[in-house]
Amino acid sequence: MGKKKSTVLMVLLTIVIVILCAITVVPSFAVPNTVKIWNPVVSMYDLGTDLNGGYYAYYYPNGVISEVEYKNLDEDDQDAYTNHKGLYLKNDPELGIYQDGEISEEFKDNFAKATAEIRARYAARGYSDYRVSVVDDYALAIYVPSSEASKNQSAFQSAYNTFGQFAKTGALEIKLGDALVEERQEYEVDEIIKEFSVYMKNEIAFVQIDFTSIGKEMIKEYKETGAQTDSETNEAKTLKIMIGDETVLDIQASDDYITSRNAVRYGVAYQEDKHVAETMVVLLNSALNNGGFDIEFNTVSNSEVRTYSAVYGENTLTLVYIALAIVLVGLIAFTVAKMGGFGVSCAYSTVSYLIIVAICYAFISGGVFEIGLGSILVFLMGLVLVNVLNTYVYGAIKNEFALGKTVESSVKGGYKKTLMTIVDVYAVAALGAVALLIGISGLYTFALQALICIVTAAFCNLLWTRVINVMLLSASKNKYNYFRFVREEDDDDE
């Protein structure tokens, strides 16, 4: 490759890398003279609670209150409660909490079943970093990350919406007009509805209801007669999907929500907000598949949603960014100082690794999983591995040169002698990540992100650094100085 061609290619490559770096990591800012906001790739990450904190709320069963709430009651009202650890349980026998002066087994069983289903809801919602913890035996503490913001909802609003929806434990019911379907027809809900799903059209989210053949006939009749309803016939005017006594979906017969195939697509409260639709679908499928629970949780109010800081402190994310910057600059400075021109090719490779992993985290992993401290650690491990193995290759090239070979022959020999070792290192690392990916469900996120880093690092070591080195070496005027090589006879001449 000629010097001019190599120089041109390196200039173009440098421009591309600088642009990609800006796209990836340059912090958000308002674009001058516009209303637009510049957001880098890293701003797309759903950050875990260990890096960015989150929100939490408590679920109290009906008849169970906290110590704070108990102390705010009048003395006469306090007499109606019995203390249990940090909670107070109402003695009213109609609530079914106490039986013969003891907490009833039925209440314990109902609470355990409801807890298991609420955990399943948060897991199905797509949170990889959440907690549903039992507090003092009969209350729940729910923790979610503060990264679920969307175009129409802040992270707080999204968390508040999810807390409120997932606290509902009533049975799924369908109402046509003023009467329940079970009263109009001799069918249960699960004989009418097959499932709920999210449907997207023109970036607008809908809750889609897929009906069974029986349900499709019901919807067909409803659509044909609903628009002709009058007070005398008392035909159904609306289709309501309810959780207990609360209406979740309310569809008009004349609306365009009913498709030609007699499915129903209901636009969510916030247009273009997939988060809201996903929450509603998880709740509705939960109620459809599991029925209601004989336990009710108090409604979570706006003021009861609290914020908590990152696990390692409020400034955790800032400190992580500073640490990453120090490591990157340190590795680049070390390789350039130690290996000269080859160190420059290693620096290009290091920055390329940063760009590729950052983009993959956003579009492969970050779209599904939160980015946490484990994600940062595997990124650093891959970054260090790239530079360690590049240093290993440099050492091999230097040893070949010491044998009296030319620079070009030393480069070929060095890469040839180190190839199988590098391949073995990445093969073992990749197999380990795949084993975790397949075998241990709790480490799925970590394993996927580790695999991204391993594959990217292997690409940088086995191909990318070598390509850049060829271009830089071709453009170099003095190949000895490029590698900082000095032959023994040159030392003697001095």
Side-chain angles (χ1 to χ4, degrees), residues 218-227 253 255 258-260 262:
M218 181 193 76
I219 291 299
K220 181 180 179 182
E221 180 183 355
Y222 161 68
K223 187 175 182 180
E224 291 172 351
T225 62
D255 285 343
I258 303 176
T259 69
S260 59
N262 293 325

Side-chain angles (χ1 to χ4, degrees), residues 38-298:
W38 162 262
N39 291 309
V41 169
V42 295
S43 68
M44 299 173 59
Y45 294 160
D46 286 342
L47 298 173
T49 56
D50 54 351
L51 290 179
N52 205 38
Y55 302 98
Y56 70 99
Y58 290 97
Y59 288 177
Y60 295 102
N62 188 22
V64 177
I65 61 176
S66 66
E67 185 175 5
V68 173
E69 189 175 354
Y70 174 80
K71 289 181 178 179
N72 290 329
L73 296 176
D74 296 333
E75 289 187 9
D76 292 341
D77 293 331
Q78 289 180 347
D79 292 339
Y81 290 86
T82 299
N83 175 246
H84 177 83
K85 297 183 178 178
L87 302 174
Y88 287 83
L89 284 59
K90 201 165 188 177
N91 304 321
D92 188 349
E94 292 184 3
L95 292 174
I97 298 177
Y98 279 98
Q99 184 177 13
D100 299 328
E102 299 289 336
I103 298 176
S104 69
E105 292 300 320
E106 183 181 8
F107 175 76
K108 293 178 182 178
D109 184 55
N110 288 335
F111 180 81
K113 289 179 180 178
T115 298
E117 186 55 30
I118 286 172
R119 282 197 174 112
R121 289 175 181 178
Y122 280 93
R125 176 61 178 76
Y127 293 118
S128 65
D129 190 8
Y130 71 94
R131 280 187 293 144
V132 178
S133 304
V134 176
V135 178
D136 293 332
D137 297 334
Y138 302 116
L140 297 177
I142 320 291
Y143 298 82
V144 298
S146 61
S147 54
E148 283 286 306
S150 63
K151 184 175 181 179
N152 294 288
Q153 279 194 317
S154 66
F156 176 86
Q157 289 174 319
S158 179
Y160 170 62
N161 175 66
T162 304
F163 287 143
Q165 296 287 359
F166 285 175
K168 298 173 183 176
T169 56
L172 183 68
E173 295 181 334
I174 305 174
K175 182 179 281 189
L176 289 173
D178 297 327
L180 295 174
V181 167
E182 290 86 341
E183 298 172 358
R184 284 175 169 266
Q185 304 180 30
E186 297 179 355
Y187 297 110
E188 299 294 330
V189 172
D190 58 359
E191 295 178 287
I192 298 172
I193 295 179
K194 188 184 300 182
E195 68 173 351
F196 297 89
S197 59
V198 176
Y199 175 79
M200 298 295 297
K201 184 177 182 180
N202 299 326
E203 297 186 353
I204 298 176
F206 294 83
V207 174
Q208 176 164 301
I209 311 172
D210 294 319
F211 292 92
T212 63
S213 57
I214 296 172
K216 287 181 179 179
E217 288 298 319
M218 181 193 76
I219 291 299
K220 181 180 179 182
E221 180 183 355
Y222 161 68
K223 187 175 182 180
E224 291 172 351
T225 62
Q228 305 169 7
T229 298
D230 57 36
S231 58
E232 294 182 0
T233 61
N234 196 32
E235 292 291 342
K237 290 186 177 181
T238 59
L239 168 68
K240 295 182 179 180
I241 307 297
M242 307 172 67
I243 300 290
D245 296 330
E246 184 174 346
T247 299
V248 179
L249 305 180
D250 192 346
I251 301 104
Q252 300 293 323
S254 58
D255 285 343
D256 295 331
Y257 296 143
I258 303 176
T259 69
S260 59
R261 296 185 179 182
N262 293 325
V264 171
R265 291 171 183 163
Y266 182 83
V268 299
Y270 299 90
Q271 286 190 345
E272 303 181 16
D273 203 328
K274 191 178 179 182
H275 291 167
V276 177
E278 288 172 340
T279 298
M280 295 174 70
V281 164
V282 170
L283 171 67
L284 292 166
N285 279 327
S286 171
L288 174 66
N289 298 325
N290 299 285
F293 297 92
D294 294 328
I295 193 168
E296 294 183 9
F297 290 99
N298 295 334

Side-chain angles (χ1 to χ4, degrees), residues 454-472:
I454 291 166
V455 172
T456 305
F459 163 75
C460 289
N461 275 134
L462 295 172
L463 181 63
W464 192 233
T465 307
R466 190 167 183 173
V467 169
I468 297 173
N469 181 60
V470 168
M471 289 191 288
L472 287 175

Side-chain angles (χ1 to χ4, degrees), residues 320-333:
V320 166
Y321 284 145
I322 292 173
L324 286 174
I326 291 173
V327 171
L328 282 168
V329 173
L331 285 173
I332 291 173

